[in-house]
Amino acid sequence: MSPRREKLTSPQTRIALARGNRPVQHLQPVPGPVDTEAARALFRAQRRTAVRTVVVLSVLLFGLSGSFALFPELGEIRLAQVPVSWLLLTVAVYPLLFGLALWHVRSTERLEGEAESVDRGRSTARGPSRRRVDRRRRSKGDSSTGGEAT
Amino acid sequence: MTWAVPAIGLVLVTSLIIGVYGVRAARSTSDFLVASRRISPNWNALAIAGEYLSAASVLGLAGLLLKNGLGTMWYAVGFTAGYVAVVALVAGPMRRSGAFTVPDFAEYRLGAPRLRKLCGFVVLVIMLLYLVPQFKGAGVVLSLVSGTPYWVGVLLAGLVVSGSIAAGGMRSATYVQAFHYLIKLAFLAIPAIYLVVHAGADTRTEALHPEWETHFPQTTPVEFSVATDFTLNEPVTVLTPQGEELELPAGSHSVARGTEYVFPAGAPIPHPEDLPVLGSQRWSTPLLDVGGYPLFETWSTLLAITLGCMGLPHVIMRFHTSPTARTARRVAVGVIALLGLFYLFPTVYGLLGRVLTPHLVMLQGTDTVAVVLPAHAVPGSVGTLLTAMVAAGAFGAFLSTSSGLLLALAGGLSHDLFQGSVPRLRLAVVIGACVSVLLALPAQMIDINVLVVWAFTVAASTFCPLLVLGIWWRRLTLPGAATGLIVGGVTATGAVGWSILLPTPSGWVTVLLAQPAAWTVPLAFLTMMVVSRFTRPPEWAEHAVLRLHSP
Amino acid sequence: MRQVHALRVDLQDGLHGRNVGAAVRRLRRVLAVDGVMLADLDGPVVAHGARPNDEEIEGVLFQVFEYGGGARTRLSDGTSVCAVPLHVADELAGALVATGEPVETDVEAAAALVSDSLDHAALRRARDRIAAADLRTLRAQISPHFMHNSLAVIAALVRTDPDRARQLLSDFADYLRYGFSDKGDYATVADELEATQTYLELQRARFHDRLDITVRMAPEVLPVAVPFLVVQPIVENAIRHGLERKEGRGHISVSGFGEGPLCVIEIEDDGVGMHPELARALLAGTGPEARSVGLANVDQRLRAVYGPEYGLMIETALGEGTKVTVRVPRFAPGVVVR
């Protein structure tokens, strides 16, 4: 960088930077889904999948540690000299965790794929997805008075 | 130790070059297209794993395994399981929200810029709790390989990491951290495999049979760097530095700091009081047992780590790098595979350490076992080389994690806490590094993993409920989230702070204070839900939630 | 005065805004009556305290809306009700109804205050809408200069190098599609880079390849959403006003990286540079009309979207080349790519 160059900004930026703190920004609206009912159904399905995965994960972790407490024999049985409980904890658990995560991803991707294909079918029936754009551009204030015609 | 310093220097310089220049510098227009193409999920997964595997994993696990026993590996399982929870609960929705940080998400979901300060403060606490052990690890390694006192090592680590960030060493953070994952994996795995092969059948068998008594494998000079209380089961004759023989009778002993003894080969290892006897039933049962309630401690720690992972600010940030929610989830699955691969190796150091370097337990220096072990096990230049590798790997772990943490901390400080503008980020990095160094100085005696788990506990009691309820529960409100954050943050930090700073009563209370996740996490969830029930969510809340789940 | 101001704040989102409930409670306290109600032309919107039954309200409101003046009646149970119309932008918009023993002049004053606040709210919304519309008109300003030059270059190549001409024509089409697309106001940094690439491909044809380009992008920032057409106009500015007038080879570098929670994009050229006064005038909006399309337009849009502190930064001097820095938050509420 050349030392002779001068640093410049617009006056608004200069003042804002010199002031050093940001004013609270005005919130922009969150766009709503095209089809609320379908989005709700998808949400519920996703939540079921998430709960299922979390339950399996808890059973795996708490169950494994619980079985170590309940069955100390697991430390006596050896597989190629190594106690089984050690093998379970330091090796076997990782593929299980990986498999569980993979299962979850497969399930949610299938759910999303189904939802997408339904959505696509709907929007081609209704014409191009013009509506989506209109909704997104509506500013939040519009709901409070009649506002502009969209 | 002679090769360790150049090895660390090499890791540092390579990281800086990658960080500043990146891998892709395109020179023609067609390369422009290459540069604009999104990064492959594999790189991203490597980078996340690289940032996530900290000193706690590279040094701490092996050390704690040597000291407390096999149950320690639950930490590693928790660190990995945390990503299963991330895949299931936050990765995709977080990416769809477009939020880069947790405060961003709070703003998206609850529409409250005012919550930022509170979130910024929580980020500060979590990141500091996480940074201190990193600096401790780096200080230990640097002082070990260069022969300087601990405080010099910590100070040096602070200078190195803030200097490398200031020099632009994290501009291409993805590539730097991916590189660091490979360094860590290679430099921990290669010595581990070599050690196992080289150790010989006897050592291997002994490592796998902890019920056999632990004794000094060879004549070992021991210098106590801190005052220590230990117990001897049978009398031992040691040599003092003056060459006199001294008979230590069976029973309790207190030695002052700076005492030097030479233990003869075959002597049983004295074990410090309150620690499990190396190789005892308590040591070899794979449960975390420090306070006497193994199942509770294990479960509470698992809860803290698994749920805390998703609340760690630097973990959340990485999902912003994925172009879509789908790739974000897939990247997280890749991370699980990479973590699982890595965590196969720390066990080796812990188990061999019990046989070959058991005196570290007595010295309260178990965090160094991975670095010390190779030289003990393999004499000569190969041992030196292996030590250099592990030291460089540990330093890589420190560098990538602490850079990521410092940037997250500095971002929180400058953007959320003080709502400052651009040029203060560098200042915030320097402040963050200074504070961490200062806090790390008195932390030499605290185990790396204990501190890291506390960081996870605070994350699990604050940001985890905020994210989980924010993503999956439409009725979460701003007052609910704020109260929950305060309650979870205060109880978790309070319990943790108490057990660090104040004497604790024995029994259940100690365990509840040292492993608070089992009650602080449900408490935080409950507070958010109850307060939210009494307040009304904004009418656009449902849209905000549904959008997180629609492709 | 504090109450008046608080009322204003409560009503700043209009009669259906978030805090009307608080406004009604405040009015009831200030007027010291049993109940207060705000109604729009369709009926009651929000009420606090005692309220007459629906039929009685309808009667009172009908009276107010029909005659356009205040109304005072006594209900069947003996309480007195006072209703005053609210006017927004000189148009009847609703009514303020007070139940209990209201002082008529107080209620009238309160109604005037509420009307004023609602007026304000409407103005604010109008201003927001204008700003949004501005953003849209600011948006796709592909310079006619560039279109003309591109077509001229392609035309010149059609005979001598038809393959290249075909390639360029398809680049040009890609570029136009991006520039005119109505996919929204925001694009990812990756999209922006692609558009810039097609643009540069066309420019290189004009420069007979005496243009060097370096791109250095940290992958972390590629998915960041930024306002549409931010990078390309800056690159265009660098070429038109920096490199075109320079003798010999010119060099442009585009680099992007993350800086904490911010995303930074730097565009630097080694061209003839700019007089600092000119750059200052451009950014202040007082520069020559012909040049306010590029940099000034980008600057304005960045400030409109992210706030004043995120405007462009230009580093330049005559003969020293120019560096333009875009620095925006990685996340800003509402800035999303569809």
Side-chain angles (χ1 to χ4, degrees):
Chain A
M1 191 176 65
S2 157
R4 278 188 49 211
R5 282 185 192 166
E6 233 177 286
K7 265 191 191 181
L8 303 156
T9 61
S10 67
Q12 291 91 332
T13 307
R14 192 184 65 233
I15 292 166
L17 286 177
R19 199 174 49 213
N21 65 343
R22 283 171 297 151
V24 174
Q25 241 192 329
H26 210 67
L27 268 183
Q28 293 190 41
V30 176
V34 184
D35 182 345
T36 312
E37 221 25 77
R40 276 187 193 138
L42 178 61
F43 168 64
R44 279 192 295 268
Q46 303 254 48
R47 190 161 61 181
R48 270 197 301 277
T49 318
V51 167
R52 186 190 69 190
T53 304
V54 170
V55 167
V56 174
L57 180 66
S58 321
V59 168
L60 175 65
L61 295 183
F62 295 136
L64 194 60
S65 47
S67 67
F68 291 159
L70 281 177
F71 311 107
E73 309 87 81
L74 284 172
E76 314 283 316
I77 311 165
R78 282 169 188 268
L79 209 76
Q81 287 204 21
V82 190
V84 169
S85 60
W86 294 16
L87 272 180
L88 284 175
L89 175 62
T90 58
V91 181
V93 72
Y94 297 110
L96 293 177
L97 290 175
F98 178 76
L100 176 58
L102 205 61
W103 185 39
H104 177 87
V105 167
R106 291 262 163 85
S107 311
T108 48
E109 283 185 1
R110 204 179 45 240
L111 283 176
E112 283 169 10
E114 280 163 14
E116 250 175 347
S117 61
V118 169
D119 197 39
R120 213 172 298 125
R122 204 184 307 247
S123 67
T124 43
R126 234 198 269 153
S129 59
R130 182 73 216 165
R131 277 175 62 104
R132 193 185 285 227
V133 177
D134 286 345
R135 267 175 192 252
R136 204 177 46 72
R137 288 207 179 140
R138 267 166 70 173
S139 69
K140 188 172 154 200
D142 288 345
S143 56
S144 44
T145 56
E148 69 187 343
T150 30
Chain B
M1 302 282 162
T2 41
W3 294 357
V5 176
I8 288 176
L10 200 65
V11 168
L12 180 64
V13 171
T14 319
S15 317
L16 265 179
I17 292 173
I18 296 176
V20 176
Y21 292 104
V23 172
R24 298 179 195 160
R27 289 233 150 248
S28 72
T29 40
S30 61
D31 292 341
F32 216 111
L33 215 57
V34 178
S36 69
R37 204 167 297 146
R38 276 112 178 157
I39 184 167
S40 98
N42 298 336
W43 272 103
N44 217 342
L46 278 173
I48 295 179
E51 185 177 17
Y52 188 62
L53 288 173
S54 67
S57 302
V58 176
L59 295 175
L61 281 177
L64 215 56
L65 169 55
L66 168 60
K67 182 171 162 184
N68 287 347
L70 250 286
T72 300
M73 292 319 286
W74 279 113
Y75 287 114
V77 173
F79 292 145
T80 316
Y83 266 93
V84 180
V86 165
V87 170
L89 297 172
V90 296
M94 191 66 192
R95 182 63 197 99
R96 287 205 185 95
S97 75
F100 179 57
T101 61
V102 183
D104 287 344
F105 176 79
E107 188 168 343
Y108 163 84
R109 175 65 178 77
L110 301 164
R114 272 175 301 170
L115 201 59
R116 276 191 168 271
K117 277 207 171 154
L118 186 58
C119 288
F121 190 72
V122 177
V123 169
L124 190 72
V125 172
I126 298 174
M127 294 288 90
L128 277 179
L129 275 173
Y130 209 141
L131 268 168
V132 169
Q134 307 306 322
F135 277 93
K136 189 225 150 165
V140 164
V141 170
L142 287 180
S143 70
L144 205 65
V145 299
S146 63
T148 51
Y150 168 73
W151 66 269
V152 177
V154 173
L155 214 61
L156 207 62
L159 283 175
V160 164
V161 71
S162 42
S164 95
I165 292 178
M170 290 294 279
R171 282 193 171 187
S172 308
T174 304
Y175 298 128
V176 180
Q177 284 165 340
F179 167 67
H180 282 171
Y181 174 80
L182 298 173
I183 289 271
K184 279 178 255 196
L185 181 66
F187 286 7
L188 209 67
I190 293 172
I193 293 169
Y194 185 89
L195 287 176
V196 169
V197 173
H198 183 85
D202 288 348
T203 315
R204 280 200 295 269
T205 313
E206 203 181 332
L208 293 173
H209 290 84
E211 61 270 27
W212 298 355
E213 198 175 353
T214 311
H215 50 76
F216 284 101
Q218 66 226 19
T219 307
T220 313
V222 169
E223 186 186 345
F224 294 84
S225 57
V226 280
T228 311
D229 296 329
F230 61 79
T231 320
L232 279 175
N233 292 334
E234 54 186 270
V236 177
T237 310
V238 296
L239 287 173
T240 61
Q242 291 76 35
E244 295 159 18
E245 289 199 349
L246 180 70
E247 173 155 340
L248 301 174
S252 298
H253 293 271
S254 291
V255 291
R257 182 186 157 160
T259 313
E260 287 181 50
Y261 289 148
V262 180
F263 285 84
I269 301 288
H271 60 91
E273 271 148 30
D274 346 304
L275 281 183
V277 179
L278 282 191
S280 65
Q281 180 70 32
R282 183 171 154 207
W283 190 90
S284 56
T285 305
L287 289 172
L288 286 165
D289 186 359
V290 181
Y293 302 90
L295 205 54
F296 174 82
E297 282 173 53
T298 310
W299 286 4
S300 189
T301 307
L302 273 175
L303 203 64
I305 300 180
T306 308
L307 294 179
C309 175
M310 75 177 77
L312 291 175
H314 65 296
V315 167
I316 290 300
M317 281 179 189
R318 293 290 332 186
F319 290 105
H320 199 262
T321 308
S322 299
T324 63
R326 186 170 283 215
T327 36
R329 271 194 306 251
R330 290 186 168 187
V331 164
V333 176
V335 173
I336 295 173
L338 293 173
L339 293 180
L341 180 63
F342 178 88
Y343 284 131
L344 296 178
F345 299 103
T347 323
V348 173
Y349 291 90
L351 289 180
L352 288 180
R354 190 190 62 82
V355 181
L356 299 172
T357 57
H359 59 281
L360 289 176
V361 176
M362 192 173 56
L363 296 174
Q364 306 193 22
T366 45
D367 275 341
T368 60
V369 62
V371 183
V372 173
L373 183 70
H376 265 266
V378 191
S381 53
V382 178
T384 323
L385 180 69
L386 294 181
T387 300
M389 284 176 97
V390 179
F395 189 76
F398 159 74
L399 201 59
S400 51
T401 305
S402 56
S403 310
L405 294 171
L406 264 182
L407 276 175
L409 173 74
L413 263 181
S414 68
H415 201 69
D416 304 323
L417 221 49
F418 296 115
Q419 313 226 316
S421 45
V422 187
R424 306 210 179 148
L425 188 76
R426 291 209 181 101
L427 181 68
V429 166
V430 174
I431 294 174
C434 286
V435 175
S436 320
V437 165
L438 285 178
L439 290 175
L441 286 178
Q444 191 184 359
M445 285 305 122
I446 306 180
D447 289 304
I448 294 177
N449 263 300
V450 171
L451 281 166
V452 166
V453 169
W454 280 334
F456 275 81
T457 306
V458 177
S461 317
T462 49
F463 287 159
C464 164
L466 175 66
L467 291 176
V468 170
L469 293 178
I471 289 170
W472 298 103
W473 195 49
R474 281 168 280 194
R475 302 217 31 190
L476 181 71
T477 66
L478 179 60
T483 344
L485 275 183
I486 293 172
V487 168
V490 167
T491 49
T493 348
V496 164
W498 185 319
S499 50
I500 300 177
L501 302 170
L502 302 171
T504 46
S506 57
W508 267 107
V509 183
T510 314
V511 178
L512 285 178
L513 286 177
Q515 306 289 348
W519 56 278
T520 54
V521 176
L523 183 67
F525 267 99
L526 212 66
T527 314
M528 281 197 192
M529 294 174 83
V530 169
V531 177
S532 293
R533 278 277 163 195
F534 286 106
T535 41
R536 217 160 49 97
E539 72 254 42
W540 43 266
E542 185 178 17
H543 280 338
V545 172
L546 292 184
R547 226 178 73 88
L548 297 175
H549 301 280
S550 327
Chain C
M1 283 318 278
R2 238 186 13 243
Q3 294 289 344
V4 171
H5 175 69
L7 191 66
R8 281 246 153 128
V9 174
D10 286 341
L11 288 171
Q12 69 179 352
D13 291 338
L15 204 48
H16 297 260
R18 256 181 300 189
N19 291 322
V20 278
V24 174
R25 282 194 293 279
R26 199 177 301 283
L27 279 171
R28 184 184 160 210
R29 210 164 45 238
V30 172
L31 292 173
V33 290
D34 295 341
V36 165
M37 173 188 295
L38 284 174
D40 66 5
L41 299 181
D42 296 328
V45 175
V46 63
H48 182 65
R51 57 182 291 175
N53 64 40
D54 290 350
E55 262 171 51
E56 288 165 341
I57 293 171
E58 214 169 290
V60 173
L61 288 180
F62 178 78
Q63 219 176 332
V64 171
F65 293 156
E66 193 72 350
Y67 303 110
R72 189 171 189 120
T73 44
R74 201 160 279 280
L75 299 177
S76 47
D77 63 353
T79 49
S80 151
V81 173
C82 180
V84 182
L86 299 171
H87 294 276
V88 174
D90 293 329
E91 236 181 355
L92 187 64
L96 170 71
V97 184
T99 329
E101 300 298 322
V103 182
E104 198 162 334
T105 49
D106 280 359
V107 180
E108 270 164 14
L113 195 61
V114 172
S115 294
D116 258 7
S117 305
L118 294 180
D119 221 20
H120 237 195
L123 281 177
R124 189 199 317 272
R125 275 196 303 278
R127 203 172 53 209
D128 286 352
R129 269 204 296 278
I130 291 169
D134 263 355
L135 203 61
R136 244 163 280 158
T137 49
L138 276 173
R139 210 187 83 176
Q141 291 190 346
I142 293 179
S143 82
H145 171 93
F146 164 66
M147 296 229 251
H148 173 258
N149 282 341
S150 303
L151 289 174
V153 169
I154 295 170
L157 284 172
V158 162
R159 270 176 205 282
T160 55
D161 190 350
D163 283 345
R164 179 109 192 249
R166 191 180 314 121
Q167 182 57 43
L168 288 176
L169 209 49
S170 105
D171 280 342
F172 190 58
D174 284 348
Y175 180 74
L176 287 186
R177 193 178 55 198
Y178 184 73
F180 291 141
S181 78
D182 67 342
K183 269 166 89 193
D185 303 329
Y186 307 104
T188 63
V189 171
D191 292 340
E192 284 284 293
L193 281 184
E194 264 169 53
T196 311
Q197 188 263 337
T198 42
Y199 170 81
L200 280 172
E201 205 58 64
L202 289 159
Q203 288 295 358
R204 267 158 77 96
R206 273 187 60 222
F207 272 74
H208 303 290
D209 298 326
R210 60 180 179 87
L211 187 64
D212 277 340
I213 297 154
T214 310
V215 190
R216 196 174 285 151
M217 274 287 153
E220 295 92 282
V221 297
L222 289 175
V224 173
V226 291
F228 193 69
L229 276 183
V230 156
V231 180
Q232 184 272 332
I234 302 177
V235 172
E236 179 171 357
N237 184 74
I239 289 181
R240 269 181 74 188
H241 302 293
L243 298 177
E244 232 166 52
R245 300 180 205 160
K246 192 192 169 192
E247 307 266 309
R249 294 186 79 82
H251 182 252
I252 274 201
S253 87
V254 180
S255 47
F257 50 90
E259 197 179 83
L262 305 179
C263 157
V264 184
I265 301 170
E266 294 174 344
I267 295 108
E268 188 166 10
D269 66 74
D270 62 352
V272 296
M274 237 189 285
H275 199 287
E277 280 314 312
L278 173 64
R280 189 167 294 152
L282 278 178
L283 292 178
T286 54
E289 186 68 25
R291 294 202 50 181
S292 63
V293 200
L295 292 184
N297 167 279
V298 172
D299 180 53
Q300 262 177 28
R301 280 155 56 211
L302 287 176
R303 283 188 281 119
V305 171
Y306 297 105
E309 71 272 39
Y310 294 111
L312 284 184
M313 178 174 302
I314 302 180
E315 290 168 57
T316 189
L318 275 183
E320 295 290 326
T322 307
K323 176 164 140 188
V324 180
T325 308
V326 179
R327 192 175 252 127
V328 296
R330 295 202 212 198
F331 166 81
V335 179
V336 279
V337 181
R338 268 287 139 133

